[in-house]
Amino acid sequence: GAGVSQSPSNKVTEKGKDVELRCDPISGHTALYWYRQRLGQGLEFLIYFQGNSAPDKSGLPSDRFSAERTGESVSTLTIQRTQQEDSAVYLCASIAGRSSYEQYFGPGTRLTVT
Amino acid sequence: TQLLEQSPQFLSIQEGENLTVYCNSSSVFSSLQWYRQEPGEGPVLLVTVVTGGEVKKLKRLTFQFGDARKDSSLHITAAQPGDTGLYLCAGGSNYKLTFGKGTLLTVNP
């Protein structure tokens, strides 16, 4: 079956503009994560969705960042008033359920803020 | 805050050599995973270890979880150019993973 897909693959935007990143998880996967990976760094947890439970937003770095997910489908990560320090690869991962350890990652969106 | 330290940060070796990379933490994790990430792609899971002292083998790769579940190692035997990539360890606690910064491995033909 299809893996996790993300769009766009690359995004260049001007400082101050808003951007929206999209993640399509594997069908049937109940949990979804967003991560940020800066150059030379590990993955930084941003937000976690599990079914219809309230999301864990504890990793969002500022109120300019928000994410939504409807049910067990597509998720969007929105960054408002982008800053140069937001430049990074944004990765999405989904897992089958609470008891699963294995995260399946998408290819990421490379965001460049000029 | 749970932190995972990976070493070395960079490793460049010749085809056929053996290598070991390390993942250390002061925190105990319920599970530890190793991922490999290639340029322009997301990380791909190699192995999950959950029991202290556990050893898992995947072809030429051997993974070990420390007895205290705070550290892990990855040993590659007879490295090949196809092993080139960023190796990330990740500690699991409840539903969250804490990632190390990775070891960037280059295997030269």
Side-chain angles (χ1 to χ4, degrees):
Chain A
V4 178
S5 61
Q6 293 187 244
S7 61
S9 55
N10 283 285
K11 177 70 177 179
V12 180
T13 190
E14 292 180 353
K15 177 181 173 181
K17 295 285 181 69
D18 298 351
V19 295
E20 188 174 279
L21 313 180
R22 177 186 169 107
C23 172
D24 285 83
I26 293 173
S27 178
H29 279 196
T30 60
L32 185 148
Y33 299 76
W34 282 97
Y35 294 92
R36 179 169 68 180
Q37 186 175 29
R38 289 181 164 139
L39 188 64
Q41 302 294 312
L43 276 66
E44 176 187 3
F45 167 80
L46 297 178
I47 189 167
Y48 164 77
F49 295 92
Q50 170 62 53
N52 293 315
S53 301
D56 178 348
K57 304 180 180 180
S58 61
L60 295 179
S62 76
D63 59 8
R64 296 186 296 104
F65 287 72
S66 63
E68 293 183 351
R69 187 186 188 199
T70 304
E72 297 179 357
S73 61
V74 170
S75 177
T76 55
L77 176 68
T78 301
I79 308 173
Q80 296 178 311
R81 305 181 301 282
T82 52
Q83 303 294 313
Q84 288 185 332
E85 63 262 27
D86 299 334
S87 295
V89 175
Y90 290 83
L91 290 158
C92 170
S94 68
I95 63 173
R98 291 183 190 272
S99 61
S100 174
Y101 293 115
E102 182 170 358
Q103 297 196 11
Y104 292 84
F105 283 86
T109 294
R110 180 174 297 279
L111 175 66
T112 304
V113 182
T114 61
Chain B
T1 301
Q2 295 178 313
L3 293 175
L4 279 168
E5 299 288 339
Q6 290 192 244
S7 61
Q9 186 176 358
F10 301 97
L11 185 58
S12 180
I13 61 172
Q14 295 300 121
E15 182 176 1
E17 293 182 359
N18 300 332
L19 66 114
T20 302
V21 298
Y22 300 92
C23 174
N24 295 293
S25 175
S26 59
S27 302
V28 175
F29 292 99
S30 57
S31 68
L32 197 134
Q33 300 182 338
W34 285 92
Y35 290 81
R36 182 170 71 206
Q37 185 178 22
E38 299 186 22
E41 298 182 7
V44 175
L45 181 68
L46 297 173
V47 76
T48 300
V49 285
V50 298
T51 305
E54 184 175 3
V55 176
K56 281 193 174 179
K57 292 191 175 182
L58 182 65
K59 296 183 180 178
R60 293 176 294 100
L61 279 60
T62 302
F63 305 86
Q64 185 162 7
F65 200 13
D67 290 341
R69 291 187 290 134
K70 293 183 179 181
D71 55 83
S72 181
S73 64
L74 160 59
H75 181 80
I76 301 179
T77 303
Q80 299 177 1
D83 296 327
T84 293
L86 179 67
Y87 288 81
L88 294 159
C89 68
S93 181
N94 294 319
Y95 54 82
K96 281 187 180 177
L97 288 180
T98 300
F99 282 84
K101 293 184 180 181
T103 293
L104 185 60
L105 172 65
T106 302
V107 182
N108 302 299

